[in-house]
Amino acid sequence: MLLQIDKILSAPECEAIVSAVGDPALWRDGKETAKGGAKSVKSNTQAAASAPPVKGSVSKILDTLRAHPVFQAAAQPADFIRPTINRYSPGMSYGDHVDAPYINNLRTDLSFTLFLTDPDTYAGGELVIDNQGHEDRIKGSAGSLVLYPSSSVHRVDEVTTGERICCIGWVKSRIRSAEQRGLLFEIEQTLADLRDVNAPSQTHNRLLNVRNNLLRLFGE
Ligand SMILES: O=C(O)CCC(=O)C(=O)O
Ligand SMILES: [Fe+2]
């Protein structure tokens, strides 16, 4: 399942992060963290994770994701893995590749890209995800996020003008099976619908109990 969530961060929050990581001394060659075939097709820069402004920005982003009900329901995060602020300047791209199955000894179930710069400010830079032979091409507004299975072949098309800055990362989910995670997400959305129509609390609680018991059954 590919999911886009809008307005995870506001425009001023995105601008604040982009300016916090603006010092050129913070940026490293993205090849440093790529493995195998991905290394040869990766051309971007990444903000040094240990630098205080980068740490602060990433921790704000992770706090926001943990508190976001739709992200939480769709990803069921057990761990966030190597969240990274990346940047594509003109001429940079990341060709077709697959992400490593384990990063820092944690299984990568889901990948995310949180766009920090507005799509009007750069040309190119689409995130292109293979979806059973069909290509999903995503260029989100600043503050929006795309969540996709880490098992998909994907790439970032060349940026030709401007700068594409994003926070990317991986999630180890409490629910390993994408099918089970998808069913739980459907239930979660139905719970939200029941709340919207002020369904009797007994009805809501019964479905909530099914959700909770499936979490116990499917969770690791
Ligand atoms: O920048 C992106 O949207 C994705 C980057 C990516 O695929 C990666 O770093 O593995
Ligand atoms: Fe990737």
Side-chain angles (χ1 to χ4, degrees):
M1 180 179 60
L2 182 147
L3 182 74
Q4 278 186 270
I5 311 175
D6 284 339
K7 299 191 171 80
I8 294 253
L9 293 177
S10 67
E13 285 172 322
C14 292
E15 280 158 26
I17 292 172
V18 168
S19 108
V21 300
D23 180 353
L26 292 175
W27 293 87
R28 308 275 178 273
D29 187 343
K31 283 190 198 295
E32 284 174 16
T33 59
K35 296 246 162 21
K39 218 182 190 64
S40 60
V41 292
K42 184 173 185 182
S43 163
N44 71 1
T45 50
Q46 295 176 168
S50 57
V54 182
K55 259 191 170 161
S57 303
V58 165
S59 105
K60 186 203 157 43
I61 290 170
L62 295 191
D63 286 347
T64 307
L65 293 180
R66 282 191 197 95
H68 195 286
V70 178
F71 182 88
Q72 174 65 37
Q76 300 283 350
D79 285 293
F80 284 92
I81 308 165
R82 212 170 68 202
T84 303
I85 298 184
N86 70 10
R87 184 177 63 185
Y88 293 78
S89 304
M92 293 184 177
S93 61
Y94 195 165
D96 273 327
H97 67 281
V98 285
D99 294 335
Y102 289 85
I103 297 177
N104 300 341
N105 266 335
L106 293 164
R107 191 186 64 232
T108 51
D109 294 317
L110 293 160
S111 307
F112 67 85
T113 294
L114 172 59
F115 295 90
L116 295 170
T117 44
D118 210 76
D120 297 344
T121 62
Y122 60 93
E126 287 86 357
L127 172 62
V128 184
I129 303 167
D130 178 72
N131 183 354
Q132 294 173 329
H134 154 90
E135 286 189 340
D136 288 314
R137 303 178 64 83
I138 296 135
K139 187 165 172 176
S141 54
S144 73
L145 174 141
V146 57
L147 184 68
Y148 59 101
S150 298
S151 53
S152 352
V153 178
H154 57 281
R155 67 174 183 271
V156 177
D157 277 348
E158 185 179 327
V159 167
T160 53
T161 60
E163 284 196 329
R164 173 194 192 268
I165 300 177
C166 298
C167 177
I168 61 129
W170 294 268
V171 172
K172 180 188 171 207
S173 179
R174 285 197 298 207
I175 312 294
R176 181 184 195 145
S177 151
E179 195 174 7
Q180 292 173 346
R181 216 183 303 119
L183 291 171
L184 280 163
F185 188 51
E186 281 287 314
I187 293 178
E188 199 67 48
Q189 285 173 306
T190 309
L191 281 168
D193 290 346
L194 288 178
R195 271 192 298 272
D196 286 350
V197 298
N198 287 319
S201 63
Q202 202 192 7
T203 310
H204 188 270
N205 279 342
R206 280 174 73 182
L207 188 60
L208 185 61
N209 205 27
V210 171
R211 196 270 324 245
N212 289 354
N213 288 329
L214 287 176
L215 274 172
R216 291 186 180 98
L217 190 64
F218 297 157
E220 293 182 337

